[in-house]
Amino acid sequence: MKPAVLEVMRMNRVCRMVLVTSVGSFILVIFYFQIMRRNPFGMDICCRKGSRSPLQELYNPTQLAPRAGRQQSEQDPKLSNTAILHQIRRDQVTDTCRANSVSSRKRRVLTPNDLKHLVVDEDHEMIYCYVPKVACTNWKRVMMVLTGRGKYSDPMEIPANEAHVSSNLKTLNQYSIPEINHRLKNYMKFLFVREPFERLVSAYRNKFTQKYNTSFHKRYGTKIVRRQRKNATQEALRKGDDVKFEEFVAYLIDPHTQREEPFNEHWQTVYSLCHPCHIHYDLIGKYETLEEDSNYILQLAGVGNYLKFPTYAKSTRTTDEMTTEFFQNISSLHQMQLYEVYKLDFLMFNYSVPSYLKLE
């Protein structure tokens, strides 16, 4: 009788173990499918260790490796032309830095604070220097997808304000000096640029003509009105919400402004935000070829088959024609002084002097 009881107890334990294992497996299966439903390629996006890095793909692309019976010159011409284009852009920056070494290298050593605009993607070994008013919201969204380890799948599902929360992305200034140097040497570094005055007008329109930007009106608008407007009303001095573009330009070229504090990031020069004369950028994308350049970078990162750069609404963007109109009422003297402020950005990134400028 006793052996029978022991056998029954043993069978009960076995059944319980089988039941627990089955339930556990069922929970894991549910959890797996929840993840896959939320991000069907999450594992591919986040975990590419062991594969070729974007830096290797850029300078020694596997797509250009000669195939049997084909010459190197017969390989994918589109990829080859793209690589040549980016080499030309890199050379332009290098040549400009060399030709303007006094003004472009005011400091020989960067501090961690200079690196706060460089967003790091550890999984894909990339560093992105964001420049406000050059599609940086969408690029931050993409970087959140790349670094989110499956948390996000569609960049456009991420609210714009969430993309600008600093804790959502890790920047290079958060690392130790040896870690910074390692990443600058081994990770692919890229940034996006835009015609300097078009970017400037875009910043003005966004920060000074939109009623909801009260923080900018209070922080900068009141100061601009106080310094640049004669006989300003008390309401204008208090609100700072009706800054004219001519006043904004006068504020930017005022030597007192530049001595007082650095420009706000939305109208700071690219060479001051990203330090291209101190940091060698492997890719320089342009706003004018935004989608093409962005998707090329995602292709190099190994995620181009399932992650595309978001398209953007062109109806509200600042255009060259719009920029021309804004500069109509700017005196030739102020135009010349403003060009001097942004001259290195024009030269480094190969933007010609705008035809609407009255430089004498």
Side-chain angles (χ1 to χ4, degrees), residues 128 130-141 163-164:
Y128 160 58
Y130 70 89
V131 178
K133 309 312 299 175
V134 193
C136 79
T137 300
N138 279 350
W139 254 112
K140 284 183 176 181
R141 284 168 164 153
H164 294 292

Side-chain angles (χ1 to χ4, degrees), residues 112-163:
N113 190 54
D114 295 317
L115 307 176
K116 61 186 179 182
H117 273 247
L118 278 72
V119 176
V120 181
D121 174 3
E122 292 289 357
D123 293 313
H124 303 87
E125 299 184 354
M126 298 195 302
I127 296 175
Y128 160 58
C129 183
Y130 70 89
V131 178
K133 309 312 299 175
V134 193
C136 79
T137 300
N138 279 350
W139 254 112
K140 284 183 176 181
R141 284 168 164 153
V142 170
M143 293 297 281
M144 287 175 69
V145 173
L146 291 172
T147 62
R149 293 182 171 266
K151 184 177 180 181
Y152 309 100
S153 60
D154 181 359
M156 295 310 291
E157 289 180 354
I158 302 172
N161 62 329
E162 189 175 338

Side-chain angles (χ1 to χ4, degrees), residues 189-200:
K189 301 165 293 296
F190 67 95
L191 76 160
F192 277 79
V193 299
R194 184 178 186 177
E195 202 278 341
F197 285 169
E198 187 179 297
R199 174 177 169 245
L200 187 66

Side-chain angles (χ1 to χ4, degrees), residues 232-277:
T233 65
Q234 288 300 311
E235 183 180 15
L237 290 168
R238 180 170 53 85
K239 289 186 175 180
D241 61 352
D242 64 343
V243 172
K244 298 179 176 63
F245 185 66
E246 298 93 312
E247 295 170 333
F248 179 52
V249 170
Y251 163 78
L252 294 176
I253 62 177
D254 185 349
H256 180 74
T257 301
Q258 300 178 44
R259 287 195 301 266
E260 184 181 51
E261 60 181 348
F263 281 177
N264 178 274
E265 63 178 9
H266 291 84
W267 49 84
Q268 180 59 283
T269 59
V270 175
Y271 79 82
S272 295
L273 289 175
C274 297
H275 312 285
C277 290

Side-chain angles (χ1 to χ4, degrees), residues 15-34:
C15 289
R16 283 199 299 271
M17 290 174 64
V18 171
L19 179 62
V20 169
T21 302
S22 300
V23 171
S25 299
F26 182 67
I27 291 173
L28 285 173
V29 168
I30 292 176
F31 180 67
Y32 171 78
F33 278 106
Q34 283 179 334

